[in-house]
Amino acid sequence: MCIRDSLIGFSLVSAERGEALLWAKAIKSQFPIPIIFGGIDPTFFPQIIKEPAVDLVCRGEGEQALAQLLEAIEQGREYFEIKNLWIKKNQEIYQNPVGSLIENLDELAFPDKEIYFSKYPYYRTYPIKFFIASRGCPFACNYCANQGLKELYPNSSHYLRFKSPDYLLEEIKSVLKKYPARTIGFNDDLFTYHLSWMEQFLPRYRKEVGIPFFCAGRIDLLDEDKVRLLKEGGCYSFWYGLETANPEHREKILNRKMSEEKIRNGVELLHRFGITTQSYNILNYPGESLEDGLKTLDLNCELKNDFVVSSLFQPFPGTRLAKDLGLNQTRFSDSFDKSRDFSYFAFSPFQQKDTKKLENLHKIFILGFRSKWVRRLLPLLVRLPKNPLFDILFLISFAIDYARVHRLSWKETVKYNIIHIRTTYLRRRAKAPRR
């Protein structure tokens, strides 16, 4: 959220919708200033503008629309025809179309991270600094919003865009000059998509920055040339989506078309070059049984992944699975409106036969991966009632594994997790306005 004399803005994802609405209502009662909601959730759920506290919604990329809006407000002009914006005035809603993608990311100013680093010691001193090298993804996984986002834009053929090596290197160096880091994290969907871009960027990164980094990408798109470039550039860990061990579900339900053979080959290739692997896995997706979930855990063990993360399926707006399940109907929408959990791991609005067991499996997934003894007990453990002990085990195992991935000391692990728990769960809950 940011506050200016002319506009109050919230950028939010679906899990934050309920909390954002509470804050907007509280702020609206004190400040007679327009409130705009933007981000991935309002992009696919612009109907949130019907809430009394919300005056505008920005859909899609907001840099150009927000600049035009602020200029119009400053000059006292009407702004009812700005693309990407839904505007409410006198109970009438103006629904403008989404404009073109920003094709050249180098035209944008560097993200202003100073507003966070200068105010919050957590971000300023954290040994990992995060950057994004690209926008977009050409694939159409049914649980991901990328396909829905792509369909919004008239120039969707340019949906996947990379910053130039010159731009990205200068951005990184400008941050590190003032706020040093021990590790760099690239939060792209497909950092390794273009071999030619990697060939331009990574040798220069090693020479001009030289800090170890981790990244994410499609495991089935890796080859020896790409992995060698990663290793020589300083990559120590590669994160990828495995999602499920069931090949039929992977292809037909999740639309993640990659063979187990390619997954195995990719992991083996990374390990051969000394790069650790971390897999993302989805539990409780439509049609999954407890047996499927356990097989996914077992496949991670067979692959000898170094780290694993699981999350519970979330039928987010804009995804194909959400549309198939009727997310725009009241029962799922209300779940996001009322959520106060601040976590994608907490629960899933989607319920099926083995949901309760899969929710328990999610909490002890990492322990089952680490311990053969725990794995043998899983069929019994997942039948227990939901309990705080499983939540505690999840938080501890996740924190320990995250620290191992990023080589955090025990002191750093304890310090930053205490700060995270205090700011994300305790302090925000204490200060949040009530209904």
Side-chain angles (χ1 to χ4, degrees), residues 120-138:
Y120 302 106
Y122 176 89
Y123 296 112
R124 181 169 63 248
T125 63
Y126 198 63
I128 306 171
K129 297 294 187 291
F130 296 92
F131 297 89
I132 298 176
S134 64
R135 291 185 183 181
C137 174

Side-chain angles (χ1 to χ4, degrees), residues 191-210:
F191 184 81
T192 56
Y193 188 75
H194 289 303
L195 175 62
S196 59
W197 184 88
M198 294 173 65
E199 290 173 333
Q200 297 174 55
F201 175 74
L202 288 174
R204 289 186 57 189
Y205 174 87
R206 182 60 181 264
K207 181 179 179 180
E208 299 177 31
V209 179

Side-chain angles (χ1 to χ4, degrees), residues 189-310:
D189 293 327
L190 294 172
F191 184 81
T192 56
Y193 188 75
H194 289 303
L195 175 62
S196 59
W197 184 88
M198 294 173 65
E199 290 173 333
Q200 297 174 55
F201 175 74
L202 288 174
R204 289 186 57 189
Y205 174 87
R206 182 60 181 264
K207 181 179 179 180
E208 299 177 31
V209 179
I211 296 175
F213 72 90
F214 65 92
C215 63
R218 294 263 304 200
I219 195 78
D220 59 327
L221 297 183
L222 293 178
D223 56 34
E224 189 164 331
D225 290 336
K226 288 182 178 180
V227 177
R228 181 179 289 106
L229 281 167
L230 287 174
K231 181 63 177 179
E232 293 175 351
C235 179
Y236 66 89
S237 188
F238 186 87
W239 299 21
Y240 73 97
L242 172 61
E243 313 309 358
T244 177
N246 188 316
E248 184 177 1
H249 288 182
R250 199 163 54 237
E251 179 173 349
K252 294 184 179 180
I253 297 177
L254 304 181
N255 198 34
R256 191 166 183 84
K257 298 177 180 179
M258 58 172 63
S259 68
E260 186 174 311
E261 179 183 7
K262 288 189 175 181
I263 295 172
R264 290 182 181 276
N265 290 340
V267 172
E268 291 172 2
L269 187 58
L270 289 162
H271 284 166
R272 193 192 329 152
F273 278 84
I275 299 175
T276 62
T277 57
Q278 175 164 310
S279 72
Y280 290 99
N281 306 269
I282 300 176
L283 296 176
N284 195 46
Y285 62 81
E288 185 184 35
S289 65
L290 173 62
E291 183 181 3
D292 291 319
L294 292 172
K295 286 182 179 179
T296 297
L297 175 58
D298 291 339
L299 178 58
N300 276 281
C301 295
E302 291 175 26
L303 292 170
K304 298 181 179 179
N305 281 317
D306 299 281
F307 311 98
V308 297
V309 175
S310 69

